[in-house]
Amino acid sequence: MTTKLKKNLAILFTFALVVSMFLSNFNVKAYAAGGCLDKTHSDKSAEERYIESLAEKQKITVDEAKRINEEENKKVLAKYQSLTKKSTEEIKYKTVCKDFRIDNTSRHDTSQHVEMAVEVKYVYSNADREPVEIIGIDKPSMYAPNSYTVNGGDFNIEINPTSVRISRTAVVSPPTRKNVIFHHRSFGGKTKAITRAKTYVFNIKLYTL
């Protein structure tokens, strides 16, 4: 091995090490707060995001969605007021998320993350100081840091007064080691990969709100 070749290899190794350290630090910063990746970084409240999702779903304006949401809340609270004259219930909203870890993307990189997040609307009893009923959720979202993308089908959602189950089958790109089915070379020398789909399941319990 010539001196020039050794020098070039040393430069390449140093560059690869610096890049891997940068990606690792970026990944850590994305999860340093321990909260939802994108939604908690928004200036909007969980209630505002819930209403915007309702407007998008029904193809109406945000003001119209806000009015519909308020009418629904009044009907829900009226049910509790009919049970007791001193009703202390109120409607609350909360952003909840679950962090899924997948396999390392390289020998130096930290574990890649995928996150599912959703706004939950529920009834809270001030007298008992606990949530008493889940009313609904907005459209769930999935995120992945470090320029990774999440592609998949529709969310499957099951809602009842005490729990929510959300699931989605998706593929995270670029692929991780264990997800790779095979590689092939395309024109230009670039390597593409097809990944194995995985079903992500998020269970939300009333008592955790």
Side-chain angles (χ1 to χ4, degrees), residues 71-89:
E71 291 176 355
E72 180 184 273
N73 292 350
K74 288 178 181 179
K75 290 179 181 179
V76 171
L77 294 178
K79 178 182 69 174
Y80 286 92
Q81 290 169 356
S82 66
L83 299 175
T84 173
K85 292 182 179 180
K86 295 183 179 180
S87 175
T88 64
E89 284 75 23

Side-chain angles (χ1 to χ4, degrees), residues 86-103:
K86 295 183 179 180
S87 175
T88 64
E89 284 75 23
E90 66 173 305
I91 304 297
K92 286 192 173 185
Y93 303 81
K94 185 175 182 179
T95 304
V96 292
C97 51
K98 181 176 181 180
D99 181 44
F100 301 90
R101 289 192 178 187
I102 57 178
D103 302 311

Side-chain angles (χ1 to χ4, degrees), residues 75 106 119 191:
K75 290 179 181 179
S106 72
E119 265 72 55
T191 302

